[in-house]
Amino acid sequence: DMRRARIVSLIVLVIIPGLNLQQGFQAISFLGSSSAVSYTAPGLTRRHATDSDGESARTVAVAGATGRTGRLVVQELLERGRASKVLALVRNLSKAEEIFGNENPQIQIVTWDSADEKATAAACDTADVALWCAEGDAGLKSLSRVFAAKGDFEGQPRLVMCSSAAVTRPSWSPSKKERFPGVADIPIVRLNPNNILGAKAASEELVREMGVPYAVVRP
């Protein structure tokens, strides 16, 4: 749908060369109805990045590549020239082959043991950036460590995590929730099944603690 397409475009736009994000950049938001990124960070001038910002020759690893968001991220990366190659990090090889096939040389399907940091490092050896589109946090720590070890990336994030705009809303004060019922009085915030928003917030904090240049997208 249109919302998911905008989310995908936003995630991909974060890794455009020239954005020069700094470690510690945490949240990005939609601007109007266009696919755009707005950011502010210490020492940086506010600017907008659009789809005309150029192509990228980098290799991008996508965790959760077979998920509803991940598969669209892979498609967007290649169709818009944001990556010359995508490493699809997956747990289910047959599902990945069904989705991506075996004929596109720009997509390398990698069966990923998320609990094995050495295997993660080997799988991502040629990757410049990782996009986290997976559910839960299995493998997030090992992936963060691997990309932290790659060092600075010209002020750009090494790891981009897709989170949720609602992660902080369960902890809002009653008065704040009353002021913003349109975003606070919604099922995902009221019910918060299995504390999914708390888990996403904890995953964000884990990334911040790992020392990897990162960005968190909260669509």
Side-chain angles (χ1 to χ4, degrees):
D1 56 25
M2 182 61 68
R3 171 173 163 74
R4 186 167 297 277
R6 290 171 62 196
I7 290 172
V8 169
S9 293
L10 186 60
I11 295 169
V12 172
L13 279 167
V14 177
I15 66 168
I16 293 175
L19 284 184
N20 294 323
L21 303 180
Q22 295 180 354
Q23 181 176 347
F25 174 57
Q26 298 179 12
I28 304 170
S29 61
F30 290 120
L31 298 177
S33 61
S34 62
S35 297
V37 174
S38 173
Y39 65 83
T40 54
L44 293 182
T45 302
R46 187 181 181 90
R47 64 157 288 202
H48 301 293
T50 66
D51 284 345
S52 63
D53 278 348
E55 296 186 351
S56 173
R58 66 190 58 187
T59 297
V60 180
V62 179
T66 59
R68 289 190 302 164
T69 298
R71 67 182 69 182
L72 295 178
V73 165
V74 172
Q75 179 181 343
E76 181 91 352
L77 283 167
L78 297 178
E79 287 186 354
R80 295 194 179 276
R82 304 308 186 200
S84 57
K85 186 173 185 179
V86 172
L87 303 182
L89 304 181
V90 304
R91 297 179 179 87
N92 188 325
L93 179 60
S94 60
K95 180 180 179 181
E97 290 177 339
E98 180 180 341
I99 292 170
F100 301 119
N102 295 302
E103 298 180 0
N104 190 337
Q106 290 183 288
I107 300 176
Q108 180 181 343
I109 299 173
V110 180
T111 305
W112 181 38
D113 180 358
S114 59
D116 188 335
E117 189 169 327
K118 289 185 178 180
T120 299
C124 299
D125 181 56
T126 61
D128 300 299
V129 183
L131 302 184
W132 183 268
C133 301
E135 295 292 332
D137 63 358
L140 182 57
K141 181 177 288 187
S142 63
L143 197 69
S144 297
R145 283 177 175 159
V146 166
F147 280 84
K150 291 178 181 287
D152 180 66
F153 195 42
E154 300 178 355
Q156 297 177 263
R158 282 287 192 182
L159 176 66
V160 179
M161 177 185 177
C162 181
S163 183
S164 168
V167 291
T168 63
R169 294 174 195 170
S171 62
W172 283 3
S173 66
S175 61
K176 186 172 182 179
K177 289 180 180 179
E178 289 179 5
R179 290 201 308 273
F180 304 102
V183 294
D185 189 21
I186 57 177
I188 186 63
V189 177
R190 287 199 315 269
L191 302 175
N192 194 13
N194 298 317
N195 192 32
I196 186 172
L197 296 178
K200 286 184 178 294
S203 295
E204 288 186 14
E205 192 58 33
L206 184 153
V207 170
R208 294 186 186 101
E209 293 173 352
M210 297 306 298
V212 59
Y214 73 91
V216 172
V217 179
R218 288 179 178 175

